[in-house]
Structure formats: structure tokens, C-alpha cells
Amino acid sequence: MIERGQYLGPRAIRNTTMGHRRQHRQFRLDPFALCRIADLGDAPVIRGLNPFEAMDDLRAFYEPIAAAGTRPLSVGGDHAITTPILRAIAGPGSPRGESVAVVHLDSHTDAYAVDLDSGGVEHAATWARLGVDEGTIDGEHSVMVGINGPHPALHLDRWAHDTYRAITLDEIDEIGVAATIAAIRERVGDRAVYLTIDLDVLDLPWAPAVADPEVGGLTARQAQQLVQGLRGVDLVGADVVCFVGRKDSEGEVTALTAAALMHDVVTLLAESASR
Ligand SMILES: [Mn+2]
């Protein structure tokens, strides 16, 4: 599950976006003119060898961000980062005080139960269930998109389908991207939304450098359409995870794909914040 080198993901994204053009063509606007947008630097995880303490370190980094009303977009790290970010920005004890709807793009459900399946350890594949259990995620208004590939236990899928709206890659093939966007929007309604993108939802030509690759994922174009299709929802934060920069192909394809999706997300966040 854990793959070394993911902590270098943000640097690879910074490198590839050094000369980035900032204005959003489809939305006809400059997010950097709408809002104050800044790189807040690497989140210090001082106690990285202990998963529980590492989660607390990350949460401590995000708490003042949440208190300031800032809408964070983070680059992982693996999917374990989503738990402490959600704890800072949503649910009991957060400034918001209530759960958020989650839009989860991933080949995997990440529905392992901490106690039943994971020996009490919170990790990259427990966050989607843990968040529902501890009240940061509103399962009834949340949706998984792009579920694909073989997996170790059918009961995880059952939990995901019972709790979230889980749209498999097969269903996207069947109904198309536009109907998928409509289903996502219907599910989240007017709730505050957190978007989390595991890059393994993409097929390997567009994102080879991921921790847990699955064959036959979304094209980069489909992923862009799905993300841009969230325009108008109240997006309060987002992350892009599981990027293993040192596995990237020549031309830094995964970094470019991640950066393109992040530009869409930054634009969505800027529009949400300025509404
Ligand atoms: Mn995944």
C-alpha cells in the first residue's frame, strides 16, 4: 500500500508548473485574479514513522488553514492524507462543525474498516470509511467515481455501494461522462464538497507513476471533463494523491496530467471562494 517517494510528489508538480499559464480557457477566467492563491509549502510530518502521530502532524498543519476559511488543494502523499485534512476542515471539532460531501475519483473504494480489516491502523485505504464513521464525510451525499480492477474482498464493494453512490468504470462506459456528471451533481446537491483524486483512476498512458496502478482507467480527457463538470458546486477543498514522481515516464506525463487537473481544481476553488 505504502510506496516510498510519494513525499516528493509536490516537488515534481512544482517543477512542471513553473511556466504554467494561469488562465482557464473553458471557464474564461483567471483564478489568480479572483482570489489570493498561494503555495503554502510542504506540510511537515515530523513523526512520519507512526501513522497515528503523522496524522496528527498533518491535521495540525491544516487547522489554521481551516480556521482562516482557506480552501486547500493538496498534493500527496498517499491517500492517508485525506483523513487528517478532513478532520481539520469538517465534522465535529472543525470550524465548519459538520460533515462534507466527498467526490472521490479512484480505481479503489478505500473502504477498509480500521478495526475489521486493518488491524487498527489508519492508512491510505481506510479514509473513505473512517470519514463516514467519525462524521467528517456525509456518505448520503458522497460519490465514488471510476471504481475499477480486481480487489481483495467483495464486502468492501458492498459497503461502498450501500454508503456512497459508487459509479464504477463499467457504469461510466455505459452511461457516458455527461450522465456521470449529472449523477455526481444530483448526489452532492448544494452541500459543501471535498474532491479527492487518486491518480490511479487514470489509465496508465496518462498516469503511469501511481502507487497502485490499475489497467483500463479513465483517459485524461474524461478526468478533465468530470472535474470541470463540478463547476458551480460549493467546493471547499481537494487533494490529488498517490503520485510517485520517481516512477514517472520520460516527459513527466503523470506530473503534467496531475498539474492540468489541479489547474481545473484551483479554478473551481477560486470560483467557489469568490461566490
Ligand atoms: Mn486508488
Side-chain angles (χ1 to χ4, degrees):
M1 217 57 85
I2 293 167
E3 183 140 14
R4 278 181 181 271
Q6 293 191 61
Y7 67 95
L8 295 170
R11 292 185 191 195
I13 302 284
R14 287 188 184 103
N15 286 343
T16 205
T17 53
M18 284 287 286
H20 239 245
R21 290 148 294 190
R22 293 183 159 199
Q23 303 193 15
H24 199 280
R25 185 184 297 276
Q26 288 87 349
F27 294 178
R28 313 290 310 162
L29 60 86
D30 179 359
F32 293 84
L34 276 183
C35 285
R36 265 198 317 150
I37 299 172
D39 181 347
L40 299 182
D42 294 330
V45 181
I46 307 301
R47 300 172 292 175
L49 294 178
N50 179 315
F52 298 100
E53 292 178 338
M55 295 250 180
D56 287 343
D57 285 348
L58 266 182
R59 179 183 181 166
F61 180 80
Y62 284 92
E63 278 172 344
I65 294 171
T70 299
R71 301 180 185 227
L73 166 59
S74 310
V75 190
D78 72 17
H79 228 148
I81 70 168
T82 306
T83 290
I85 296 171
L86 285 175
R87 284 173 179 160
I89 72 171
S94 72
R96 179 177 308 281
E98 58 182 19
S99 61
V100 291
V102 165
V103 175
H104 172 201
L105 270 63
D106 200 330
S107 279
H108 312 108
T109 60
D110 292 349
Y112 284 95
V114 172
D115 292 339
L116 299 176
D117 305 306
S118 302
V121 178
E122 299 167 359
H123 56 69
T126 61
W127 69 270
R129 185 159 179 161
L130 185 58
V132 172
D133 290 344
E134 61 189 17
T136 57
I137 297 173
D138 173 2
E140 279 186 32
H141 291 91
S142 293
V143 57
M144 299 180 181
V145 184
I147 307 304
N148 173 46
H151 64 112
L154 287 169
H155 76 271
L156 301 177
D157 253 24
R158 280 200 294 275
W159 183 91
H161 282 282
D162 286 349
T163 310
Y164 285 62
R165 165 91 161 88
I167 304 176
T168 64
L169 193 59
D170 294 330
E171 184 175 351
I172 298 173
D173 285 344
E174 200 178 307
I175 68 176
V177 168
T180 302
I181 291 167
I184 296 168
R185 298 182 70 99
E186 187 189 340
R187 182 79 174 182
V188 302
D190 58 3
R191 297 294 315 261
V193 172
Y194 187 85
L195 169 66
T196 177
I197 303 173
D198 184 333
L199 292 168
D200 70 33
V201 77
L202 291 145
D203 204 358
L204 294 171
W206 291 275
V210 297
D212 298 290
E214 300 290 352
V215 172
L218 298 174
T219 65
R221 188 71 189 144
Q222 287 176 312
Q224 287 175 304
Q225 289 170 335
L226 287 168
V227 171
Q228 290 173 15
L230 296 177
R231 191 176 195 191
V233 310
D234 183 20
L235 196 65
V236 297
D239 60 50
V240 175
V241 300
C242 296
F243 172 36
V244 187
R246 60 172 60 146
K247 284 170 72 175
D248 214 354
S249 55
E250 196 174 350
E252 299 171 340
V253 171
T254 314
L256 284 168
T257 300
L261 290 171
M262 287 178 65
H263 185 243
D264 286 336
V265 176
V266 162
T267 308
L268 294 173
L269 286 167
E271 276 200 310
S272 291
S274 63
R275 260 198 297 276

PDB file of all heavy atoms in Angstrom, residues 182-206:
ATOM      1  N   ALA A 182     -23.945  14.379 -14.203  1.00  0.00           N
ATOM      2  CA  ALA A 182     -25.287  14.670 -13.686  1.00  0.00           C
ATOM      3  C   ALA A 182     -25.548  13.874 -12.405  1.00  0.00           C
ATOM      4  O   ALA A 182     -26.137  14.397 -11.441  1.00  0.00           O
ATOM      5  CB  ALA A 182     -26.336  14.343 -14.755  1.00  0.00           C
ATOM      6  N   ALA A 183     -25.092  12.611 -12.385  1.00  0.00           N
ATOM      7  CA  ALA A 183     -25.310  11.776 -11.198  1.00  0.00           C
ATOM      8  C   ALA A 183     -24.524  12.306 -10.003  1.00  0.00           C
ATOM      9  O   ALA A 183     -25.009  12.299  -8.866  1.00  0.00           O
ATOM     10  CB  ALA A 183     -24.900  10.329 -11.502  1.00  0.00           C
ATOM     11  N   ILE A 184     -23.300  12.775 -10.263  1.00  0.00           N
ATOM     12  CA  ILE A 184     -22.485  13.348  -9.179  1.00  0.00           C
ATOM     13  C   ILE A 184     -23.181  14.585  -8.617  1.00  0.00           C
ATOM     14  O   ILE A 184     -23.333  14.749  -7.400  1.00  0.00           O
ATOM     15  CB  ILE A 184     -21.079  13.733  -9.692  1.00  0.00           C
ATOM     16  CG1 ILE A 184     -20.298  12.500 -10.157  1.00  0.00           C
ATOM     17  CG2 ILE A 184     -20.302  14.487  -8.625  1.00  0.00           C
ATOM     18  CD1 ILE A 184     -19.020  12.827 -10.930  1.00  0.00           C
ATOM     19  N   ARG A 185     -23.629  15.456  -9.517  1.00  0.00           N
ATOM     20  CA  ARG A 185     -24.224  16.727  -9.078  1.00  0.00           C
ATOM     21  C   ARG A 185     -25.525  16.496  -8.326  1.00  0.00           C
ATOM     22  O   ARG A 185     -25.833  17.205  -7.364  1.00  0.00           O
ATOM     23  CB  ARG A 185     -24.445  17.642 -10.283  1.00  0.00           C
ATOM     24  CG  ARG A 185     -23.144  18.024 -10.997  1.00  0.00           C
ATOM     25  CD  ARG A 185     -23.419  18.961 -12.160  1.00  0.00           C
ATOM     26  NE  ARG A 185     -23.837  20.257 -11.676  1.00  0.00           N
ATOM     27  CZ  ARG A 185     -23.009  21.306 -11.566  1.00  0.00           C
ATOM     28  NH1 ARG A 185     -21.755  21.204 -11.950  1.00  0.00           N
ATOM     29  NH2 ARG A 185     -23.447  22.433 -11.092  1.00  0.00           N
ATOM     30  N   GLU A 186     -26.277  15.494  -8.773  1.00  0.00           N
ATOM     31  CA  GLU A 186     -27.519  15.186  -8.073  1.00  0.00           C
ATOM     32  C   GLU A 186     -27.209  14.684  -6.660  1.00  0.00           C
ATOM     33  O   GLU A 186     -27.891  15.034  -5.697  1.00  0.00           O
ATOM     34  CB  GLU A 186     -28.307  14.131  -8.857  1.00  0.00           C
ATOM     35  CG  GLU A 186     -29.687  13.887  -8.277  1.00  0.00           C
ATOM     36  CD  GLU A 186     -30.385  12.703  -8.895  1.00  0.00           C
ATOM     37  OE1 GLU A 186     -29.997  12.282 -10.004  1.00  0.00           O
ATOM     38  OE2 GLU A 186     -31.325  12.190  -8.254  1.00  0.00           O
ATOM     39  N   ARG A 187     -26.162  13.869  -6.551  1.00  0.00           N
ATOM     40  CA  ARG A 187     -25.815  13.283  -5.255  1.00  0.00           C
ATOM     41  C   ARG A 187     -25.355  14.345  -4.258  1.00  0.00           C
ATOM     42  O   ARG A 187     -25.755  14.342  -3.095  1.00  0.00           O
ATOM     43  CB  ARG A 187     -24.698  12.245  -5.462  1.00  0.00           C
ATOM     44  CG  ARG A 187     -24.279  11.522  -4.205  1.00  0.00           C
ATOM     45  CD  ARG A 187     -25.248  10.431  -3.827  1.00  0.00           C
ATOM     46  NE  ARG A 187     -24.761   9.642  -2.700  1.00  0.00           N
ATOM     47  CZ  ARG A 187     -25.390   8.606  -2.189  1.00  0.00           C
ATOM     48  NH1 ARG A 187     -26.560   8.219  -2.686  1.00  0.00           N
ATOM     49  NH2 ARG A 187     -24.891   7.933  -1.173  1.00  0.00           N
ATOM     50  N   VAL A 188     -24.483  15.269  -4.698  1.00  0.00           N
ATOM     51  CA  VAL A 188     -23.913  16.238  -3.743  1.00  0.00           C
ATOM     52  C   VAL A 188     -24.854  17.408  -3.495  1.00  0.00           C
ATOM     53  O   VAL A 188     -24.775  18.047  -2.431  1.00  0.00           O
ATOM     54  CB  VAL A 188     -22.523  16.769  -4.192  1.00  0.00           C
ATOM     55  CG1 VAL A 188     -21.556  15.614  -4.373  1.00  0.00           C
ATOM     56  CG2 VAL A 188     -22.600  17.636  -5.442  1.00  0.00           C
ATOM     57  N   GLY A 189     -25.741  17.693  -4.446  1.00  0.00           N
ATOM     58  CA  GLY A 189     -26.699  18.783  -4.261  1.00  0.00           C
ATOM     59  C   GLY A 189     -26.008  20.091  -3.920  1.00  0.00           C
ATOM     60  O   GLY A 189     -25.027  20.470  -4.562  1.00  0.00           O
ATOM     61  N   ASP A 190     -26.518  20.782  -2.899  1.00  0.00           N
ATOM     62  CA  ASP A 190     -25.925  22.078  -2.536  1.00  0.00           C
ATOM     63  C   ASP A 190     -25.016  21.970  -1.317  1.00  0.00           C
ATOM     64  O   ASP A 190     -24.697  22.970  -0.670  1.00  0.00           O
ATOM     65  CB  ASP A 190     -27.019  23.127  -2.304  1.00  0.00           C
ATOM     66  CG  ASP A 190     -27.987  22.711  -1.210  1.00  0.00           C
ATOM     67  OD1 ASP A 190     -27.775  21.629  -0.598  1.00  0.00           O
ATOM     68  OD2 ASP A 190     -28.943  23.467  -0.945  1.00  0.00           O
ATOM     69  N   ARG A 191     -24.583  20.744  -1.008  1.00  0.00           N
ATOM     70  CA  ARG A 191     -23.685  20.537   0.128  1.00  0.00           C
ATOM     71  C   ARG A 191     -22.287  21.096  -0.161  1.00  0.00           C
ATOM     72  O   ARG A 191     -21.889  21.227  -1.318  1.00  0.00           O
ATOM     73  CB  ARG A 191     -23.548  19.042   0.429  1.00  0.00           C
ATOM     74  CG  ARG A 191     -24.828  18.355   0.851  1.00  0.00           C
ATOM     75  CD  ARG A 191     -25.304  18.876   2.198  1.00  0.00           C
ATOM     76  NE  ARG A 191     -24.210  18.976   3.160  1.00  0.00           N
ATOM     77  CZ  ARG A 191     -23.941  18.089   4.108  1.00  0.00           C
ATOM     78  NH1 ARG A 191     -24.696  17.024   4.243  1.00  0.00           N
ATOM     79  NH2 ARG A 191     -22.942  18.273   4.944  1.00  0.00           N
ATOM     80  N   ALA A 192     -21.542  21.395   0.915  1.00  0.00           N
ATOM     81  CA  ALA A 192     -20.109  21.666   0.783  1.00  0.00           C
ATOM     82  C   ALA A 192     -19.429  20.381   0.327  1.00  0.00           C
ATOM     83  O   ALA A 192     -19.707  19.301   0.843  1.00  0.00           O
ATOM     84  CB  ALA A 192     -19.532  22.119   2.120  1.00  0.00           C
ATOM     85  N   VAL A 193     -18.552  20.517  -0.676  1.00  0.00           N
ATOM     86  CA  VAL A 193     -17.961  19.330  -1.320  1.00  0.00           C
ATOM     87  C   VAL A 193     -16.446  19.336  -1.179  1.00  0.00           C
ATOM     88  O   VAL A 193     -15.785  20.368  -1.388  1.00  0.00           O
ATOM     89  CB  VAL A 193     -18.342  19.287  -2.821  1.00  0.00           C
ATOM     90  CG1 VAL A 193     -17.579  18.181  -3.547  1.00  0.00           C
ATOM     91  CG2 VAL A 193     -19.851  19.090  -2.982  1.00  0.00           C
ATOM     92  N   TYR A 194     -15.903  18.185  -0.837  1.00  0.00           N
ATOM     93  CA  TYR A 194     -14.457  17.952  -0.868  1.00  0.00           C
ATOM     94  C   TYR A 194     -14.174  16.966  -1.994  1.00  0.00           C
ATOM     95  O   TYR A 194     -14.810  15.917  -2.076  1.00  0.00           O
ATOM     96  CB  TYR A 194     -13.971  17.393   0.477  1.00  0.00           C
ATOM     97  CG  TYR A 194     -12.465  17.287   0.565  1.00  0.00           C
ATOM     98  CD1 TYR A 194     -11.690  18.377   0.948  1.00  0.00           C
ATOM     99  CD2 TYR A 194     -11.817  16.099   0.239  1.00  0.00           C
ATOM    100  CE1 TYR A 194     -10.299  18.293   1.015  1.00  0.00           C
ATOM    101  CE2 TYR A 194     -10.433  16.003   0.308  1.00  0.00           C
ATOM    102  CZ  TYR A 194      -9.683  17.101   0.698  1.00  0.00           C
ATOM    103  OH  TYR A 194      -8.312  17.013   0.755  1.00  0.00           O
ATOM    104  N   LEU A 195     -13.240  17.322  -2.865  1.00  0.00           N
ATOM    105  CA  LEU A 195     -12.890  16.480  -4.018  1.00  0.00           C
ATOM    106  C   LEU A 195     -11.551  15.807  -3.756  1.00  0.00           C
ATOM    107  O   LEU A 195     -10.575  16.483  -3.408  1.00  0.00           O
ATOM    108  CB  LEU A 195     -12.795  17.351  -5.272  1.00  0.00           C
ATOM    109  CG  LEU A 195     -12.192  16.703  -6.530  1.00  0.00           C
ATOM    110  CD1 LEU A 195     -13.091  15.578  -7.060  1.00  0.00           C
ATOM    111  CD2 LEU A 195     -11.976  17.763  -7.621  1.00  0.00           C
ATOM    112  N   THR A 196     -11.492  14.480  -3.921  1.00  0.00           N
ATOM    113  CA  THR A 196     -10.215  13.800  -3.778  1.00  0.00           C
ATOM    114  C   THR A 196      -9.968  12.921  -5.000  1.00  0.00           C
ATOM    115  O   THR A 196     -10.841  12.153  -5.419  1.00  0.00           O
ATOM    116  CB  THR A 196     -10.141  12.994  -2.458  1.00  0.00           C
ATOM    117  OG1 THR A 196      -8.887  12.293  -2.416  1.00  0.00           O
ATOM    118  CG2 THR A 196     -11.279  12.001  -2.307  1.00  0.00           C
ATOM    119  N   ILE A 197      -8.794  13.114  -5.604  1.00  0.00           N
ATOM    120  CA  ILE A 197      -8.459  12.421  -6.847  1.00  0.00           C
ATOM    121  C   ILE A 197      -7.256  11.522  -6.613  1.00  0.00           C
ATOM    122  O   ILE A 197      -6.141  12.005  -6.384  1.00  0.00           O
ATOM    123  CB  ILE A 197      -8.121  13.421  -7.978  1.00  0.00           C
ATOM    124  CG1 ILE A 197      -9.278  14.392  -8.211  1.00  0.00           C
ATOM    125  CG2 ILE A 197      -7.765  12.663  -9.265  1.00  0.00           C
ATOM    126  CD1 ILE A 197      -8.948  15.522  -9.193  1.00  0.00           C
ATOM    127  N   ASP A 198      -7.483  10.197  -6.640  1.00  0.00           N
ATOM    128  CA  ASP A 198      -6.355   9.266  -6.681  1.00  0.00           C
ATOM    129  C   ASP A 198      -5.984   9.113  -8.152  1.00  0.00           C
ATOM    130  O   ASP A 198      -6.821   8.699  -8.979  1.00  0.00           O
ATOM    131  CB  ASP A 198      -6.767   7.923  -6.073  1.00  0.00           C
ATOM    132  CG  ASP A 198      -5.603   6.951  -5.990  1.00  0.00           C
ATOM    133  OD1 ASP A 198      -4.663   7.054  -6.813  1.00  0.00           O
ATOM    134  OD2 ASP A 198      -5.632   6.070  -5.111  1.00  0.00           O
ATOM    135  N   LEU A 199      -4.747   9.435  -8.479  1.00  0.00           N
ATOM    136  CA  LEU A 199      -4.339   9.428  -9.890  1.00  0.00           C
ATOM    137  C   LEU A 199      -4.441   8.044 -10.525  1.00  0.00           C
ATOM    138  O   LEU A 199      -4.403   7.922 -11.756  1.00  0.00           O
ATOM    139  CB  LEU A 199      -2.919   9.986 -10.032  1.00  0.00           C
ATOM    140  CG  LEU A 199      -2.803  11.489  -9.727  1.00  0.00           C
ATOM    141  CD1 LEU A 199      -1.330  11.886  -9.609  1.00  0.00           C
ATOM    142  CD2 LEU A 199      -3.495  12.320 -10.806  1.00  0.00           C
ATOM    143  N   ASP A 200      -4.603   6.992  -9.694  1.00  0.00           N
ATOM    144  CA  ASP A 200      -4.760   5.662 -10.289  1.00  0.00           C
ATOM    145  C   ASP A 200      -6.126   5.463 -10.934  1.00  0.00           C
ATOM    146  O   ASP A 200      -6.391   4.415 -11.534  1.00  0.00           O
ATOM    147  CB  ASP A 200      -4.429   4.549  -9.290  1.00  0.00           C
ATOM    148  CG  ASP A 200      -5.443   4.401  -8.160  1.00  0.00           C
ATOM    149  OD1 ASP A 200      -6.634   4.628  -8.370  1.00  0.00           O
ATOM    150  OD2 ASP A 200      -5.002   4.036  -7.049  1.00  0.00           O
ATOM    151  N   VAL A 201      -7.007   6.447 -10.844  1.00  0.00           N
ATOM    152  CA  VAL A 201      -8.277   6.374 -11.580  1.00  0.00           C
ATOM    153  C   VAL A 201      -8.032   6.529 -13.084  1.00  0.00           C
ATOM    154  O   VAL A 201      -8.866   6.153 -13.910  1.00  0.00           O
ATOM    155  CB  VAL A 201      -9.267   7.445 -11.066  1.00  0.00           C
ATOM    156  CG1 VAL A 201      -8.923   8.846 -11.596  1.00  0.00           C
ATOM    157  CG2 VAL A 201     -10.714   7.088 -11.452  1.00  0.00           C
ATOM    158  N   LEU A 202      -6.856   7.093 -13.420  1.00  0.00           N
ATOM    159  CA  LEU A 202      -6.497   7.274 -14.838  1.00  0.00           C
ATOM    160  C   LEU A 202      -5.845   6.016 -15.383  1.00  0.00           C
ATOM    161  O   LEU A 202      -5.162   5.278 -14.652  1.00  0.00           O
ATOM    162  CB  LEU A 202      -5.532   8.446 -14.967  1.00  0.00           C
ATOM    163  CG  LEU A 202      -6.153   9.814 -14.691  1.00  0.00           C
ATOM    164  CD1 LEU A 202      -5.161  10.730 -14.007  1.00  0.00           C
ATOM    165  CD2 LEU A 202      -6.656  10.427 -15.988  1.00  0.00           C
ATOM    166  N   ASP A 203      -6.006   5.783 -16.653  1.00  0.00           N
ATOM    167  CA  ASP A 203      -5.318   4.674 -17.295  1.00  0.00           C
ATOM    168  C   ASP A 203      -3.816   4.993 -17.387  1.00  0.00           C
ATOM    169  O   ASP A 203      -3.399   6.155 -17.333  1.00  0.00           O
ATOM    170  CB  ASP A 203      -5.912   4.430 -18.689  1.00  0.00           C
ATOM    171  CG  ASP A 203      -5.680   3.003 -19.170  1.00  0.00           C
ATOM    172  OD1 ASP A 203      -5.023   2.216 -18.452  1.00  0.00           O
ATOM    173  OD2 ASP A 203      -6.165   2.678 -20.272  1.00  0.00           O
ATOM    174  N   LEU A 204      -3.022   3.948 -17.538  1.00  0.00           N
ATOM    175  CA  LEU A 204      -1.572   4.083 -17.400  1.00  0.00           C
ATOM    176  C   LEU A 204      -0.906   5.011 -18.415  1.00  0.00           C
ATOM    177  O   LEU A 204       0.098   5.658 -18.079  1.00  0.00           O
ATOM    178  CB  LEU A 204      -0.929   2.703 -17.413  1.00  0.00           C
ATOM    179  CG  LEU A 204      -1.339   1.873 -16.178  1.00  0.00           C
ATOM    180  CD1 LEU A 204      -0.882   0.438 -16.315  1.00  0.00           C
ATOM    181  CD2 LEU A 204      -0.775   2.496 -14.925  1.00  0.00           C
ATOM    182  N   PRO A 205      -1.407   5.119 -19.659  1.00  0.00           N
ATOM    183  CA  PRO A 205      -0.731   6.054 -20.570  1.00  0.00           C
ATOM    184  C   PRO A 205      -0.734   7.495 -20.066  1.00  0.00           C
ATOM    185  O   PRO A 205       0.168   8.269 -20.391  1.00  0.00           O
ATOM    186  CB  PRO A 205      -1.548   5.936 -21.863  1.00  0.00           C
ATOM    187  CG  PRO A 205      -2.135   4.571 -21.801  1.00  0.00           C
ATOM    188  CD  PRO A 205      -2.429   4.337 -20.343  1.00  0.00           C
ATOM    189  N   TRP A 206      -1.731   7.880 -19.283  1.00  0.00           N
ATOM    190  CA  TRP A 206      -1.838   9.259 -18.808  1.00  0.00           C
ATOM    191  C   TRP A 206      -1.276   9.438 -17.408  1.00  0.00           C
ATOM    192  O   TRP A 206      -0.995  10.558 -17.008  1.00  0.00           O
ATOM    193  CB  TRP A 206      -3.304   9.724 -18.858  1.00  0.00           C
ATOM    194  CG  TRP A 206      -3.776   9.867 -20.250  1.00  0.00           C
ATOM    195  CD1 TRP A 206      -3.617  10.951 -21.058  1.00  0.00           C
ATOM    196  CD2 TRP A 206      -4.432   8.879 -21.045  1.00  0.00           C
ATOM    197  NE1 TRP A 206      -4.146  10.694 -22.298  1.00  0.00           N
ATOM    198  CE2 TRP A 206      -4.654   9.448 -22.316  1.00  0.00           C
ATOM    199  CE3 TRP A 206      -4.879   7.585 -20.809  1.00  0.00           C
ATOM    200  CZ2 TRP A 206      -5.288   8.754 -23.349  1.00  0.00           C
ATOM    201  CZ3 TRP A 206      -5.500   6.888 -21.825  1.00  0.00           C
ATOM    202  CH2 TRP A 206      -5.700   7.472 -23.079  1.00  0.00           C
TER     203      TRP A 206
END
